[in-house]
Structures are given as C-alpha cells and as structure tokens.
C-alpha cells in the first residue's frame, strides 16, 4: 500500500536526519517526530486502520512539546476516533472527555471532530450507558459547541 510505504520512507528519513544540523526556524518549530506521527495518525484513520492509527496517536502525544496545546487536542480527539473505530466505546469516551474544555470553543477543527465523534458514538451505541455519560458531559462542557 502506497500510504504505508510513504510513512515508512518518511520515518526512515527522520531517523537518518542529523539532529545537530542547522535548519530554518519554521522547520524546527514544527516538523519533528510528533508531527510525523500526527500525519500517520490522520492517514491511518482515513484508511480505516484504527489499530495503527491509535499507535501513532500515542506516539504523537508522547512526543508533542508542551506548548503545542492545539495539536494535543487534535491528536487526542483523533485517538478517541481510532478507539471508537475499534469498537472500544468506553476508552474512546474517556479519551474524548480528556480533550481540554476550551478546545472545542477555540479550535473549529477540534469542534468538528468532536461532533463527528458524537455522531459515530450515537450510531454505534445509541442507548448505551457510556453514550449517556458522553451526552451529559458534552452538554455540560461544551453547551452548543458539539
């Protein structure tokens, strides 16, 4: 599969790159292992390979620098979607609930992904206790954002 090959080549290039080489600030401030894992997370989610997407989500979150709060909210929301894609409703809800409260209000992409998560959980487990817990949380936390 072309996507897997491309991610493998990108990872190989990242490993071979000289970490001490001088690079422009725009490159060093954003392009790192966390970004590569974020891109892989997004790609594997789109391919429906939720297990691999989840692995990249965990790697991304572990590598993200502290100041990258928006990226953390996006990766966390995508992690919840990967867990939901595997049918792990409980862990997915716990993960989605860990997205910072203000992320949906301040970041349209996060709000859009949480709305998609909301729709998917209602399709998978419309009357389940975990869905009811999610509904209550979403209603009290984000009001109209989700």
């Amino acid at each position: 599969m072309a996507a897997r090959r491309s991610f493998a080549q990108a990872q190989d290039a990242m490993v071979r790159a000289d970490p001490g080489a001088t690079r422009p600030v725009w490159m060093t401030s954003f392009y790192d292992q966390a970004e590569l894992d974020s891109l892989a997370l997004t790609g594997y989610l789109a391919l429906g390979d939720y297990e691999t997407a989840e692995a990249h989500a965990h790697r991304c979150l572990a590598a993200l620098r502290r100041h990258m709060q928006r990226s953390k909210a996006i990766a966390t929301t995508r992690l919840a979607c990967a867990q939901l894609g595997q049918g792990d409703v409980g862990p997915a809800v716990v993960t989605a609930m860990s997205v910072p409260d203000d992320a949906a209000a301040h970041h349209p992409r996060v709000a859009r992904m949480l709305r998609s998560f909301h729709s998917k959980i209602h399709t998978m487990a419309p009357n389940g206790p975990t869905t009811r817990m999610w509904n209550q949380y979403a209603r009290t936390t984000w009001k109209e954002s989700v």
Side-chain angles (χ1 to χ4, degrees):
M1 170 181 288
R4 290 181 196 284
R5 186 172 50 252
S6 295
F7 288 129
Q9 290 171 341
Q11 183 63 58
D12 183 53
M14 180 72 75
V15 169
R16 285 187 327 221
D18 177 5
T22 303
R23 292 181 175 78
V25 173
W26 64 265
M27 186 179 280
T28 58
S29 66
F30 190 71
Y31 294 103
D32 59 7
Q33 185 63 52
E35 176 63 12
L36 181 57
D37 282 310
S38 177
L39 292 170
L41 162 60
T42 303
Y44 286 113
L45 266 179
L47 293 170
D49 184 347
Y50 302 115
E51 187 175 328
T52 304
E54 180 178 2
H56 282 285
H58 288 294
R59 284 182 53 178
C60 173
L61 289 167
L64 274 172
R65 286 171 274 173
R66 190 175 287 206
H67 70 278
M68 300 184 82
Q69 294 303 308
R70 179 177 152 269
S71 295
K72 182 179 179 183
I74 290 168
T76 302
T77 305
R78 287 183 175 143
L79 170 58
C81 292
Q83 292 169 324
L84 194 60
Q86 294 174 78
D88 296 334
V89 177
V93 166
V94 170
T95 300
M97 289 169 63
S98 75
V99 173
D101 295 351
D102 65 344
H106 292 91
H107 304 298
R109 187 184 313 170
V110 174
R112 189 171 47 252
M113 288 188 297
L114 287 170
R115 280 193 299 273
S116 176
F117 177 86
H118 185 83
S119 296
K120 288 175 185 171
I121 197 169
H122 281 85
T123 300
M124 289 181 73
N127 299 313
T130 308
T131 302
R132 287 193 298 277
M133 180 176 70
W134 167 255
N135 287 339
Q136 179 62 35
Y137 175 79
R139 205 170 16 259
T140 58
T141 304
W142 292 302
K143 313 284 186 262
E144 299 300 316
S145 296
V146 177

